[in-house]
Amino acid sequence: MDLVKNHLMYAVREEVEVLKEQIRELLEKNSQLERENTLLKTLASPEQLEKFQSRLSPEEPAPEAPETPETPEAPGGSAV
C-alpha cells in the first residue's frame, strides 16, 4: 500500500512541476502580448482604434462589410 502511495505522490509532484513551468511560460507570453498591445495602441491613430472597437462589439454593425478586407493606412496618411 505504501508503495502505491509513494508512486502516486511522485507522479503528482512531477505533474505539478510540469504545470508550474507551463504557468511560468504562459505568464511570460501574457506579459509580452500586453506590452505589444500597449505599443500597438500608442502607435494606432484614433480612427484605427475606433474601427477596431466597432469590429469587436457584436451589438453595433461595422460600417463596412466584414468580408471586405481593409487595407491599412500609411502612418503619415491623411484622415479626413
Side-chain angles (χ1 to χ4, degrees):
M1 194 67 163
D2 283 342
L3 182 61
V4 172
K5 178 183 171 186
N6 287 337
H7 178 70
L8 286 174
M9 290 299 293
Y10 178 77
V12 168
R13 284 189 193 111
E14 196 171 290
E15 186 67 22
V16 166
E17 289 302 316
V18 169
L19 292 173
K20 282 182 179 179
E21 181 61 30
Q22 287 179 345
I23 290 170
R24 244 188 313 276
E25 290 171 2
L26 289 171
L27 287 172
E28 289 174 11
K29 181 71 173 175
N30 186 42
S31 178
Q32 175 189 354
L33 290 172
E34 285 178 348
R35 287 191 304 269
E36 184 178 324
N37 188 30
T38 302
L39 175 64
L40 290 172
K41 281 183 180 180
T42 60
L43 295 176
S45 70
E47 293 83 15
Q48 290 171 325
L49 287 174
E50 186 177 318
K51 284 182 184 179
F52 181 72
Q53 289 294 338
S54 69
R55 287 183 180 191
L56 288 181
S57 65
E59 297 83 19
E60 301 174 13
E64 298 178 6
E67 63 273 357
T68 305
E70 186 173 326
T71 56
E73 295 180 16
S78 64
V80 176

